[in-house]
Amino acid sequence: MSSVKILFFILTLGYILGSIKFFNIRLGTSGVLLVALIFGHFGQEISGAVRDIGLVCFVASVGLIAGPVFFCNFKSRAVAYMVIGFVTIISGAALCVASIKILGIPVPLAIGIMNGALTSTPGLAAAIEATGDPTASIGYGIAYPFGVLGVVLFVQIVPRILRIDFSQTKPVMDCGQDLQPEGTAGKGSMKIDPFGFFPLVLTIAAGLIAAKIVIPLPGGARFSLGASGGPLLTGLIIGYFGHIGPISLEVRKSTLETMREFGLALFLAGAGAAA
């Protein structure tokens, strides 16, 4: 069976599985990963290019969607966001190291479990890129349902404990009222294409260039954004500014949401089948 046929069989069955409720929870697009793992177990392969294309489309779309409000929100609550992010990453990494040392879980599998528990698809991509081992996808698939369940329970239980009614709360800053930086109104009136694919491919191209930049760290270590971080960062920047001179870089939200979903599905299908 050709790689293209396998891909669309996986996508079809994955979306069917993802639509089924288990204890009132749907797996959604992650159903594609579980189906891909089964296909991969029986030796069905998908080109690695499918996974790579899906990844960059997904993270670039996420960046472009978040760009207009990201810097506004970050400016208003920078310290809080950094503390939350730091605590989340450190606690997850500590548990990951403990599972490797105490339980003897293989490193790629443990890293995949950590990202699945955090429901972090870009984290899975970074894990595969860093370790070069697709078994991280297996760990991700094992932990992801529990990660989703944990988030759902947290969102439902914690507000009741703290007696918070989200319907009555108001955002501290409504960034939606000012999606463009000061002084950009009226700029970027010329569009290369009506659907916004040019800004998307520009974001991906610039992101892949940024991904190749390696920063040396003390002790001989090196840091780079990688294929997941590069397009995400450029997406945030391009999404925020929205234009280059007279050229508009705005993308229809419907286009970005479609590319985000399709990219995620391609990435999960490729990552799962490779495992």
Side-chain angles (χ1 to χ4, degrees):
M1 189 181 297
S2 69
S3 180
V4 175
K5 290 181 181 178
I6 295 171
L7 171 62
F8 283 96
F9 270 122
I10 290 174
L11 294 178
T12 301
L13 296 175
Y15 274 104
I16 292 174
L17 176 62
S19 67
I20 300 173
K21 281 189 176 182
F22 297 94
F23 302 102
N24 207 34
I25 297 175
R26 288 190 178 94
L27 292 176
T29 314
S30 293
V32 173
L33 175 63
L34 298 181
V35 173
L37 288 170
I38 296 173
F39 272 70
H41 175 73
F42 290 101
Q44 303 297 324
E45 298 181 354
I46 296 177
S47 171
V50 171
R51 182 188 67 194
D52 296 339
I53 292 173
L55 172 63
V56 295
C57 287
F58 171 69
V59 294
S61 298
V62 170
L64 288 169
I65 291 172
V69 296
F70 172 80
F71 292 101
C72 175
N73 284 323
F74 189 79
K75 182 179 179 181
S76 64
R77 297 183 175 182
V79 175
Y81 289 156
M82 286 190 290
V83 170
I84 292 172
F86 181 79
V87 170
T88 301
I89 293 171
I90 293 300
S91 59
L95 288 173
C96 180
V97 172
S99 67
I100 294 171
K101 298 294 185 181
I102 299 173
L103 302 178
I105 298 176
V107 173
L109 186 63
I111 296 176
I113 291 173
M114 179 186 72
N115 286 292
L118 296 174
T119 64
S120 174
T121 302
L124 171 61
I128 295 174
E129 186 176 2
T131 63
D133 192 333
T135 56
S137 302
I138 299 175
Y140 183 91
I142 293 171
Y144 185 88
F146 298 99
V148 172
L149 178 62
V151 171
V152 171
L153 292 177
F154 182 85
V155 171
Q156 292 180 351
I157 294 175
V158 171
R160 295 179 183 177
I161 296 175
L162 300 179
R163 297 181 180 180
I164 298 174
D165 184 0
F166 286 117
S167 64
Q168 301 299 322
T169 59
K170 296 181 179 180
V172 175
M173 178 177 291
D174 185 6
C175 297
Q177 295 177 353
D178 184 16
L179 297 182
Q180 292 181 319
E182 185 178 353
T184 62
K187 294 184 178 181
S189 58
M190 186 177 74
K191 292 189 176 183
I192 301 297
D193 73 286
F195 297 102
F197 282 109
F198 169 72
L200 180 61
V201 296
L202 174 64
T203 297
I204 293 172
L208 292 176
I209 293 174
K212 295 297 183 180
I213 299 175
V214 178
I215 301 174
L217 299 175
R222 299 184 301 170
F223 170 79
S224 65
L225 291 172
S228 56
L232 177 62
L233 178 61
T234 54
L236 290 171
I237 296 172
I238 291 176
Y240 176 68
F241 287 100
H243 71 94
I244 298 178
I247 301 176
S248 172
L249 297 179
E250 294 181 357
V251 188
R252 291 182 181 180
K253 187 177 180 181
S254 58
T255 299
L256 290 176
E257 290 175 343
T258 300
M259 293 305 298
R260 178 185 63 186
E261 178 68 18
F262 188 57
L264 177 60
L266 291 182
F267 171 73
L268 293 178

